[in-house]
Amino acid sequence: MNETLMYARYNQVGDRAIYDILSALSNEEREKDRGSYYGSLSGLFRHVIGGSWFFLGMYRSVLKGRAADALAVLEGLSIPEGTLGEEQWKKLEETLTTVDGAYVQMAAALSDADCSIPIKTDWYGGNPAEVPLSFMLSQLLVHNTHHRGQISQILDTLKINNDYSGINAAFLNP
């Protein structure tokens, strides 16, 4: 079983669910400061997408073959900052689709050997100076889950139905 692919699919479905929920809100409601570190629901969601983009970019620098090729579509992408207008929000959907699609394609192409490839990081003050790709894949999963939880809490406060936390058993099948 390719757990990385399962989690990439979970990420893709969760992001899509959040985008759809947030798209049903007015632009003003999406952009309103909710007191989180990233301010608005839009800001939190863009941070989730930006986190995926950042991590996948790190992976691309060490991967070869099909896994690296799947991430080539990330070249030149950008995540809008600040307060978004309605058109920018709609354009964000294209970026979301590209980033999450690249993640799924990369995950499908990873070999067990790829998961051992060292990734250099300065996050831990040089100790360790590198960690295996499998560890960084877990970091991506935890990062996005954490921030989706923040979005969920705000939506709960607003009494907006949201349930995108489960992993569908269908994700186990290639």
Side-chain angles (χ1 to χ4, degrees):
M1 172 181 62
N2 182 341
E3 287 184 354
T4 302
L5 179 57
M6 177 181 70
Y7 291 132
R9 289 176 175 159
Y10 157 74
N11 184 79
Q12 186 178 44
V13 169
D15 284 351
R16 170 53 57 187
I18 292 171
Y19 182 84
D20 291 346
I21 291 167
L22 297 183
S23 291
L25 299 176
S26 70
N27 196 63
E28 180 181 355
E29 282 295 307
R30 251 191 328 267
E31 297 299 327
K32 182 178 180 181
D33 190 328
R34 304 292 176 175
S36 77
Y37 184 81
Y38 295 98
S40 66
L41 286 162
S42 170
L44 274 167
F45 187 59
R46 285 180 280 142
H47 180 71
V48 170
I49 299 167
S52 293
W53 179 61
F54 171 78
F55 280 103
L56 294 172
M58 289 178 67
Y59 310 159
R60 183 175 181 219
S61 69
V62 299
L63 290 171
K64 306 273 187 261
R66 288 184 326 122
D69 292 346
L71 301 177
V73 298
L74 303 177
E75 191 76 28
L77 276 184
S78 63
I79 310 294
E81 296 181 17
T83 302
L84 300 188
E86 191 65 43
E87 286 304 310
Q88 289 172 301
W89 176 256
K90 288 178 183 170
K91 182 138 178 66
L92 183 64
E93 182 177 18
E94 294 172 26
T95 302
L96 165 69
T97 300
T98 300
V99 170
D100 285 351
Y103 182 11
V104 169
Q105 293 300 312
M106 177 217 61
L110 284 178
S111 69
D112 288 342
D114 289 332
C115 291
S116 298
I117 294 172
I119 305 268
K120 292 184 189 304
T121 180
D122 60 3
W123 296 355
Y124 306 103
N127 185 21
E130 59 187 32
V131 294
L133 175 62
S134 61
F135 180 85
M136 294 307 292
L137 289 164
S138 295
Q139 286 289 88
L140 169 56
L141 174 68
V142 170
H143 173 268
N144 287 357
T145 301
H146 166 73
H147 291 297
R148 280 193 211 97
Q150 290 177 308
I151 292 169
S152 180
Q153 186 276 321
I154 293 169
L155 293 173
D156 286 347
T157 301
L158 297 172
K159 308 235 182 298
I160 295 173
N161 288 334
N162 66 94
D163 184 10
Y164 43 79
S165 63
I167 299 175
N168 188 321
F171 297 162
L172 293 171
N173 301 318

